[in-house]
């Protein structure tokens, strides 16, 4: 199955590619490559077969990918349904620890009301939260660390 954003690092910069070779390289249809040509991908000349320089193809795909990026500023979390970075409702997030050095910031989107998630490390937590109020959840303890472990068995 073709990817929405082809990996521009697969392209050999000093090689020339035909439309069919590019389609095979990325697992896309030839018409997809022709659409890229209509949207600004440059060819070497106007002769047939159309040849595209590898460095030009790589730069085109990288710039196309960079245009769709929407980086989050400190204090923002990306909302998938809204497709934009947003500050959580009431500037409140909960930090849920996943490992000893990583966790999730969980908040609520003020526009659509859905949950927002941002994976952060303990080292970058202060830079990621900005002006947000962070509440930490208690880390769940392992069953062997409880005073009276219950394994729910009949013994």
């Amino acid at each position: 199955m073709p990817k929405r954003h082809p990996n521009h690092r697969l392209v050999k910069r000093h090689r020339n590619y035909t439309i069919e070779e590019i389609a095979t390289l990325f697992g896309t249809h030839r018409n997809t490559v022709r659409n890229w040509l209509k949207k600004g991908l440059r060819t070497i000349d106007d002769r047939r077969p159309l040849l595209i320089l590898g460095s030009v193809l790589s730069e085109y795909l990288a710039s196309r990918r960079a245009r769709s990026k929407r980086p989050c500023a400190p204090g923002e979390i990306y909302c998938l349904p809204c497709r934009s970075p947003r500050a959580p409702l009431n500037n409140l997030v909960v930090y849920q620890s996943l490992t000893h050095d990583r966790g999730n910031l969980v908040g609520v989107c003020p526009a659509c009301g859905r949950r927002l998630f941002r994976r952060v490390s303990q080292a970058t937590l202060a830079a990621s939260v900005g002006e947000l109020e962070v509440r930490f959840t208690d880390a769940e303890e392992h069953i062997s660390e409880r005073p009276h472990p219950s394994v729910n068995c009949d013994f």
Side-chain angles (χ1 to χ4, degrees):
M1 184 171 161
K3 294 184 178 180
R4 182 176 296 258
H5 302 289
N7 186 359
H8 67 277
R9 293 180 187 97
L10 294 176
V11 178
K12 293 183 177 22
R13 297 185 63 80
H14 300 291
R15 183 167 183 244
N16 297 329
Y17 291 94
T18 63
I19 291 174
E20 289 77 19
E21 290 171 341
I22 295 171
T24 303
L25 178 66
F26 296 122
T28 60
H29 197 272
R30 292 184 308 263
N31 290 344
T32 302
V33 180
R34 290 184 183 116
N35 286 336
W36 294 346
L37 290 169
K38 289 178 186 175
K39 292 180 181 178
L41 178 61
R42 292 179 290 122
T43 59
I44 293 175
D45 55 13
D46 292 333
R47 295 183 181 179
R48 300 278 179 180
L50 294 176
L51 293 177
I52 296 107
L53 189 61
S55 60
V56 172
L57 176 62
S58 179
E59 290 169 9
Y60 174 79
L61 293 175
S63 68
R64 189 171 163 258
R65 179 71 177 131
R67 278 185 296 208
S68 65
K69 294 271 187 180
R70 291 187 175 83
C72 294
E76 291 183 333
I77 302 176
Y78 191 81
C79 180
L80 289 173
C82 296
R83 294 186 181 215
S84 64
R86 301 202 185 263
L89 187 66
N90 300 329
N91 284 336
L92 176 68
V93 292
V94 176
Y95 179 80
Q96 296 176 340
S97 179
L98 298 175
T99 64
H100 69 283
D101 65 338
R102 294 199 180 271
N104 283 334
L105 290 176
V106 182
V108 177
C109 178
C112 65
R114 295 193 179 160
R115 294 174 69 190
L116 305 169
F117 295 92
R118 183 172 180 176
R119 177 84 36 105
V120 294
S121 67
Q122 291 271 347
T124 62
L125 182 62
S128 299
V129 296
E131 300 294 322
L132 297 177
E133 178 185 341
V134 181
R135 294 186 184 165
F136 293 89
T137 60
D138 296 332
E140 293 188 23
E141 55 189 20
H142 193 268
I143 192 168
S144 64
E145 297 170 354
R146 294 182 183 176
H148 303 289
S150 170
V151 290
N152 296 332
C153 67
D154 295 331
F155 296 116

